[in-house]
């Protein structure tokens, strides 16, 4: 992680920082260029855990459902554990309904 990225994350409130760190980790694991953690349901956020059961990610111009669970360090700057389950592709005619875009 670059120094610029660290500074950007440290300026965030802990919950937002944790969401961003977990989303970036999930994007890397999924080879995604975009991830929305609240597409189908709001993520559940604990002190050091995010559970995003209704997320979506974009890869190669297609959107897919995904759920993930992410544990972070106490300062929310590092992912300690990430598990995820890929879901079905989201049909293009549903993208507007779920606020997804090209």
């Amino acid at each position: 992680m670059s120094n610029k990225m660290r500074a950007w994350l440290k300026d965030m409130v802990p919950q937002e920082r944790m969401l961003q760190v977990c989303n970036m980790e999930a994007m890397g694991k999924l080879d995604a260029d975009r991830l929305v953690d609240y597409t189908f349901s709001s993520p559940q956020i604990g002190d050091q855990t995010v559970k995003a059961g209704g997320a979506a990610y974009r890869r190669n111009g297609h959107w897919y459902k995904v759920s993930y669970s992410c544990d972070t360090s106490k300062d929310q700057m590092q992912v300690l554990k990430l598990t995820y389950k890929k879901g079905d592709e989201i049909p293009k005619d549903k993208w507007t309904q779920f606020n997804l875009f090209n």
Side-chain angles (χ1 to χ4, degrees):
M1 184 182 311
S2 71
N3 288 337
K4 187 175 183 178
M5 180 68 73
R6 280 188 189 284
W8 176 69
L9 288 168
K10 284 189 180 236
D11 284 343
M12 295 179 177
V13 296
Q15 287 185 337
E16 183 61 29
R17 178 173 48 241
M18 189 168 39
L19 276 171
Q20 293 299 325
V21 168
C22 289
N23 286 347
M24 288 187 291
E25 182 78 9
M27 286 175 60
K29 298 284 186 189
L30 295 163
D31 194 25
D33 59 37
R34 182 84 175 154
L35 186 139
V36 181
D37 55 40
Y38 53 84
T39 303
F40 301 101
S41 63
S42 297
Q44 298 173 345
I45 303 169
D47 290 337
Q48 291 174 241
T49 303
V50 173
K51 292 185 181 184
Y57 71 98
R58 185 177 66 192
R59 181 173 181 221
N60 297 326
H62 299 267
W63 283 95
Y64 302 89
K65 294 179 180 180
V66 67
S67 60
Y68 76 76
S69 179
C70 176
D71 297 329
T72 67
S73 57
K74 288 183 182 184
D75 65 359
Q76 296 90 19
M77 293 293 288
Q78 282 187 302
V79 172
L80 302 177
K81 181 180 178 186
L82 176 79
T83 57
Y84 62 90
K85 183 177 179 184
K86 295 179 185 179
D88 295 332
E89 183 173 353
I90 302 165
K92 192 169 188 171
D93 65 350
K94 301 285 186 188
W95 291 6
T96 301
Q97 177 184 351
F98 297 113
N99 297 311
L100 303 174
F101 50 87
N102 280 334

